[in-house]
Amino acid sequence: MDDTVGKGSRSSAGLRFAAFAVIFLALQAAWAALEGSQVWKTWMETLNVGTATAFINLLSPEADALADGTRIRAAGGGLNLLQGCDGAELLLLLTSAFLVAPISLKWRIIGWGLGLALAWLLNVGRLVALFYAWRADPGTFDVLHNYIGPVFLILVLCLYMNSVLALAAPRQGEDGAPA
């Protein structure tokens, strides 16, 4: 049996994983350094808290929710969004994955852009769910916040990434050659 078959692809995958980890850690450090900056405030206060508050008020006008910096304030309970629970890690994971993915530049850009929008929408949905969970039952909030939410978001983004990789793969004809 020839044990050299596939070693190149395993080595390539290992290098991709190492590059992914280095890029992700560098992006994490950069994001942490941006805390309090205008970029950070826009992400936290406008794109996350502001949008989640708008959805809450659309779904439950009687909640009269108010976006106040990194807080969603409402009678009966609100939320305080902290760095680390803001969904930025989802964007960083996707960015790292698309930078090392073995796909064309066209697919990297399309997949990354759509993925960022998906990650943001998923995070806003998570914030809305957490708002209602806290008001209904703090125990449910803890389970949703600490376990269900993160696992669900990462699972959806992994499925998304897998779909992009499948769509971006070169098609092969009946003879095995690229179509």
Side-chain angles (χ1 to χ4, degrees):
M1 182 169 152
D2 183 3
D3 64 349
T4 61
V5 174
K7 282 191 176 182
S9 64
R10 275 185 268 154
S11 167
S12 177
L15 288 173
R16 267 196 201 82
F17 179 77
F20 168 86
V22 167
I23 292 167
F24 179 71
L25 291 173
L27 290 172
Q28 276 282 80
W31 180 244
L34 285 172
E35 185 171 0
S37 71
Q38 191 56 48
V39 169
W40 184 86
K41 286 180 181 182
T42 299
W43 172 252
M44 297 284 283
E45 297 174 7
T46 305
L47 294 174
N48 281 294
V49 171
T51 305
T53 302
F55 276 114
I56 290 164
N57 285 326
L58 184 67
L59 295 170
S60 304
E62 70 282 359
D64 199 26
L66 173 68
D68 181 18
T70 59
R71 294 179 186 270
I72 300 173
R73 296 192 185 273
L79 281 181
N80 184 26
L81 185 61
L82 302 173
Q83 189 166 0
C85 296
D86 58 359
E89 288 80 8
L90 299 172
L91 306 182
L92 306 181
L93 284 168
L94 274 175
T95 299
S96 303
F98 275 103
L99 284 172
V100 302
I103 55 178
S104 70
L105 181 60
K106 171 188 159 190
W107 276 104
R108 278 180 214 269
I109 293 169
I110 292 169
W112 179 69
L114 293 174
L116 293 183
L118 174 63
W120 171 68
L121 287 171
L122 287 169
N123 191 61
V124 168
R126 181 184 70 91
L127 294 175
V128 171
L130 289 173
F131 173 85
Y132 288 111
W134 177 255
R135 294 162 65 88
D137 176 31
T140 301
F141 170 88
D142 287 338
V143 171
L144 187 61
H145 176 261
N146 294 323
Y147 305 107
I148 297 171
V151 170
F152 176 75
L153 295 177
I154 290 172
L155 178 63
V156 170
L157 291 179
C158 285
L159 292 171
Y160 170 77
M161 185 74 192
N162 189 58
S163 297
V164 172
L165 291 173
L167 288 170
R171 304 284 186 251
Q172 292 186 348
E174 290 179 21
D175 62 356

